[in-house]
Amino acid sequence: MGEFTIIGLRVVREAGRCGSFSTAAENLGYTQSAVSRQIALMEQAAGRTLFERHARGVRPTDAGRIILRHAETVLAGVGAARHDLDDLVARPPALLRVGAFSTAMAALVPRAIATTSDRLARVPLREGTSPRLLAALARGRLDLAVVTATPNLPGDLALESLLDDPLLIAVGPGHALAHRVSVTPAELLRNERWIAGSTESNSTLLGAFGDATWEPDIAFVARDWFAKLGLVAAGLGVTVVPGIAVPVLPPTIALVRIDHPAAVRGTAVVYRPGAGVAEPRRIFTEALRDGAAELSAEVRQRLR
């Protein structure tokens, strides 16, 4: 038994509409023999006669009417697919306004932009703290934001988790921990001088694994990551870095895992449902998920 084909179904449909093989051939730009051959192939595929031949034309059999009905559905689907492909070429790629916190801008977001560059025309970026990004989303100034996971979302925003990002200790090459794989919070809280973005430990990554009584010895306050890492490399203290920043850290910095379940930071995508950019948002979020998986593997590799 043969196979149904698009050409064959199109010929069957036209013959059914016209009631004549010769008229179908004329309408389709085929020879009559070509039409007869296609009809014969479709009858072979169906295992039944599709048309009753008469002196004044043809008429579909019961089997022919079934094939005609399905031919309409199949050919409509093929036409819709062609229309969508033509529309894809004619329509300029979409624009998506993206915000992210600073360390997500280091590797996670750039990788997502690179992998979606053929489908998204532009991805205007905005860097900021998670609260500021959420406020911008709520006001309609962003389409999507990569933030540290938060249970309290303003307005009608929706959240999708990306990863639980491990927090790591960055130390200089001569530090006593430089060749360690992991360290307990007790060791860190007891001995270290810290480089942090603020003197208030609860407002920094230091608050993730310390207890309420701990007062860290903050030797230097530096908001810029290059400044923090420069101070660490010089042996002037240690700092906490998120795992997603690992690919951009210099080889002079050693990384140590914090042996504590709270030493992670949730990272998520937040957006406004129904904001008119559902498809670009889906494309970019999938790229972020792929990038998050790659970064997690790179962190594991570097900590071996």
Side-chain angles (χ1 to χ4, degrees), residues 190-202:
R190 183 173 60 244
N191 302 319
E192 300 299 337
R193 302 177 74 217
W194 294 89
I195 299 160
S198 168
T199 55
E200 298 179 5
S201 60
N202 287 335

Side-chain angles (χ1 to χ4, degrees), residues 16-31:
R17 287 175 175 176
C18 300
S20 166
F21 289 171
S22 59
T23 304
E26 183 179 348
N27 291 345
L28 294 171
Y30 296 162
T31 63

Side-chain angles (χ1 to χ4, degrees), residues 99-112 128 130 145-149 162-169 205 225 229 240-249 255 263-269 287-300 302-303:
F101 61 93
S102 60
T103 45
M105 291 284 198
L108 180 61
V109 171
R111 291 185 185 189
S130 292
V146 181
V147 301
T148 55
L162 281 178
L163 77 160
D164 286 329
D165 193 30
L167 299 179
L168 310 171
I169 298 299
L205 297 178
W225 278 102
L229 296 175
V240 181
V241 296
I244 57 174
V246 164
V248 298
L249 297 183
L255 296 172
V264 295
R265 181 172 65 170
T267 301
V269 169
L288 287 170
R289 291 191 187 284
D290 291 342
E294 292 175 2
L295 288 171
S296 295
E298 291 177 27
V299 170
R300 292 192 295 270
R302 181 151 178 180
L303 291 176

Side-chain angles (χ1 to χ4, degrees), residues 102-255:
S102 60
T103 45
M105 291 284 198
L108 180 61
V109 171
R111 291 185 185 189
I113 294 173
T115 57
T116 59
S117 60
D118 59 335
R119 291 174 288 174
L120 301 178
R122 288 179 55 226
V123 182
L125 291 177
R126 176 173 178 171
E127 181 182 347
T129 63
S130 292
R132 290 183 179 275
L133 295 174
L134 292 174
L137 266 174
R139 290 195 297 267
R141 296 178 180 176
L142 290 174
D143 299 311
L144 175 150
V146 181
V147 301
T148 55
T150 172
N152 299 315
L153 296 178
D156 59 349
L157 302 183
L159 180 146
E160 294 183 20
S161 177
L162 281 178
L163 77 160
D164 286 329
D165 193 30
L167 299 179
L168 310 171
I169 298 299
V171 303
H175 194 280
L177 297 175
H179 300 291
R180 293 272 297 274
V181 174
S182 65
V183 61
T184 65
E187 294 174 275
L188 291 172
L189 306 187
R190 183 173 60 244
N191 302 319
E192 300 299 337
R193 302 177 74 217
W194 294 89
I195 299 160
S198 168
T199 55
E200 298 179 5
S201 60
N202 287 335
S203 67
T204 70
L205 297 178
L206 299 182
F209 56 89
D211 58 40
T213 62
W214 178 47
E215 295 185 6
D217 178 9
I218 298 178
F220 298 95
V221 173
R223 296 186 181 277
D224 182 81
W225 278 102
F226 285 107
K228 288 181 182 178
L229 296 175
L231 293 165
V232 169
L236 298 175
V238 303
T239 195
V240 181
V241 296
I244 57 174
V246 164
V248 298
L249 297 183
T252 53
I253 299 295
L255 296 172

Side-chain angles (χ1 to χ4, degrees), residues 76-102:
V78 171
R82 186 173 298 281
H83 178 273
D84 288 347
L85 290 171
D86 292 342
D87 188 51
L88 182 64
V89 174
R91 185 181 67 245
L95 178 145
L96 190 73
R97 300 169 299 169
V98 173
F101 61 93
S102 60

